[in-house]
Amino acid sequence: METVILAVVIAVVVLGALGGLVVGSRRKKSLPPPPPAAPDITAPPAEPHVGDEAETPRDEPRRTIEEVDLPDGSAPVVVEEPPAPEIEIPEPTAGRLVRLRARLSRSQNALGKGLLTLLSREHLDDETWEEIEDTLLTADVGVQPTTELVERLRERVKVLGTRTPDELRALLREELLKLVGTDVDRTVKTEPADRKPGIVMVVGVNGTGKTTTTGKLARVLVADGRTVVLGAADTFRAAAADQLQTWGERVGAHTVRGPEAGDPASVAFDAVKEGKEMGVDVVLIDTAGRLHTKTGLMDELGKVKRVVEKHAPLDEVLLVLDATTGQNGLVQARVFAEVVDISGIVLTKLDGTAKGGIVIAVQRELGVPVKLIGLGEGADDLAPFEPEAFVDALIGE
């Protein structure tokens, strides 16, 4: 009996031992892998994944904003360059004043027709001759030229005796042409024989249309086959450089400009320098619309002239005058002539006024010819001055 009990105990112990071995083996198979070792802080950083390099290559330039889709899903932004301005072809200058005669002849009612009416009276007494003088003075012919013209007319009318309308018109035309002058060289000097480019400086007070005249003169030169560089030396008026550049772009002329309120002489110097480098025919320099009563500004105008002449002598200094200002324009002319050597006059706003006589007065005052006249607001309303066409427009057909 005791032997049986002992055998059972031994069997239980053996079975328990075998079961423990099986469980231990299964537990060993299900244990997780040991944790990785701590990284070495001296090791270099890991290289990026190959896939990352493929998506964002180091050598690929960043995309510009024009190429990036907007958050709302709309099309990419595209910034376009503004189109180049269309180059205009100005009308020829030959005979331009004849084509514009209708505008100029608006002033004949006060001068030409007024004189013809008075001269046609049957009896020309002293009172009539005083009226003739008043008509001439009102038209800004000037005191001295008026006196000379009246004396010659009185003498010739006395000799002529009976006066038909055609005879009076021919007489008046002849005498006015003598005063205006037909033997004067009115060419705008832009072609020096020994060098390039020709250099033209445009001066005048505020409000005479100086910058506009400079732009229109560029059109005149381009119409005659010249190449032009514009110098925007009016740095004191904010819109002057923009205005001049717009005129230049219309005819393909390059504009040299500087900072606002910058040194005008520096801009003028650079304009001539660039004109020489580009090999153009003419450089036009627009100066500030200086008040002739301010000595400092007039001194600066003289400085511009001296600085430009470090390149070459000025070929033309054109004074722009408003034809409607009359005797005040003559005061301006005298002051400018003291600062720079005026070589020619441009009369603007000559259409539709009774001030045609200013042509005679200003030439007598300065001893230099009127070379250009402005007859309107159009781009091609600046015309070379032609004495015969001018007088014909004043007295009518």
Side-chain angles (χ1 to χ4, degrees):
M1 187 63 181
E2 294 178 354
T3 304
V4 175
I5 294 172
L6 182 59
V8 172
V9 171
I10 293 171
V12 172
V13 171
V14 171
L15 290 174
L18 291 174
L21 290 173
V22 172
V23 172
S25 176
R26 289 179 177 175
R27 285 179 178 175
K28 287 180 181 180
K29 291 180 179 180
S30 62
L31 287 175
D40 185 357
I41 61 174
T42 62
E47 292 290 329
H49 191 272
V50 174
D52 295 338
E53 291 186 356
E55 293 175 3
T56 313
R58 291 182 178 180
D59 296 334
E60 181 178 337
R62 294 179 179 270
R63 291 186 295 173
T64 64
I65 189 171
E66 288 85 357
E67 299 170 339
V68 177
D69 292 336
L70 299 179
D72 59 1
S74 58
V77 176
V78 178
V79 179
E80 296 182 357
E81 291 292 331
E86 184 178 350
I87 303 299
E88 300 177 9
I89 302 176
E91 66 176 66
T93 58
R96 182 180 288 188
L97 183 55
V98 175
R99 294 193 298 274
L100 297 173
R101 183 183 296 177
R103 295 180 183 177
L104 180 59
S105 62
R106 294 171 190 166
S107 63
Q108 67 174 304
N109 291 331
L111 181 56
K113 284 188 175 180
L115 291 175
L116 288 173
T117 299
L118 291 170
L119 290 171
S120 299
R121 289 181 180 177
E122 184 176 354
H123 299 290
L124 296 178
D125 53 18
D126 290 342
E127 184 177 344
T128 301
W129 286 113
E130 287 180 3
E131 290 184 49
I132 292 174
E133 285 186 354
D134 290 341
T135 300
L136 291 168
L137 291 173
T138 303
D140 286 331
V141 173
V143 176
Q144 187 62 33
T146 293
T147 302
E148 295 175 9
L149 179 59
V150 169
E151 287 180 355
R152 290 203 298 264
L153 286 174
R154 291 187 76 156
E155 182 177 347
R156 296 193 62 179
V157 167
K158 185 183 297 185
V159 172
L160 187 62
T162 304
R163 306 174 301 281
T164 67
D166 289 341
E167 289 174 332
L168 285 174
R169 182 173 286 103
L171 173 63
L172 186 58
R173 182 180 190 274
E174 182 180 342
E175 293 299 331
L176 286 174
L177 280 175
K178 287 180 181 178
L179 285 180
V180 172
T182 57
D183 56 351
V184 181
D185 183 6
R186 301 181 187 274
T187 306
V188 178
K189 302 294 189 300
T190 57
E191 295 182 284
D194 56 343
R195 59 178 166 81
K196 254 185 162 183
I199 306 172
V200 179
M201 187 165 74
V202 184
V203 301
V205 300
N206 292 317
T208 58
K210 179 180 47 54
T211 299
T212 299
T213 297
T214 306
K216 290 182 178 181
L217 179 55
R219 294 179 66 89
V220 168
L221 294 170
V222 169
D224 290 340
R226 316 281 178 79
T227 53
V228 179
V229 161
L230 297 170
D234 185 354
T235 59
F236 301 123
R237 186 165 64 90
D242 292 338
Q243 183 183 359
L244 191 64
Q245 184 168 346
T246 299
W247 278 103
E249 288 174 348
R250 291 177 180 174
V251 292
H254 175 60
T255 301
V256 177
R257 54 188 298 176
E260 186 177 340
D263 182 14
S266 176
V267 176
F269 183 87
D270 291 342
V272 178
K273 179 182 177 182
E274 291 194 31
K276 293 173 69 174
E277 292 172 350
M278 296 171 64
V280 300
D281 298 316
V282 187
V283 174
L284 296 178
I285 301 171
D286 176 35
T287 59
R290 305 167 196 285
L291 297 175
H292 65 280
T293 56
K294 296 193 176 181
T295 305
L297 293 177
M298 297 302 293
D299 289 344
E300 188 171 324
L301 180 60
K303 175 187 173 184
V304 172
K305 178 178 181 291
R306 292 190 300 271
V307 168
V308 167
E309 289 182 333
K310 292 181 179 180
H311 282 297
L314 285 168
D315 298 289
E316 284 277 6
V317 179
L318 297 176
L319 173 63
V320 180
L321 293 175
D322 184 338
T324 65
T325 59
Q327 295 301 311
N328 187 46
L330 297 183
V331 175
Q332 298 169 9
R334 282 194 292 267
V335 176
F336 276 95
E338 293 173 0
V339 179
V340 291
D341 296 326
I342 304 298
S343 59
I345 301 159
V346 183
L347 281 175
T348 62
K349 307 177 186 178
L350 197 57
D351 62 316
T353 74
K355 306 298 183 180
I358 192 66
V359 171
I360 298 168
V362 73
Q363 289 185 149
R364 182 70 63 91
E365 180 69 30
L366 294 184
V368 296
V370 172
K371 295 191 172 184
L372 298 161
I373 57 175
L375 298 170
E377 300 298 329
D380 293 317
D381 287 347
L382 184 70
F385 183 73
E386 302 168 23
E388 291 82 0
F390 174 75
V391 171
D392 287 342
L394 288 181
I395 63 176
E397 299 295 337

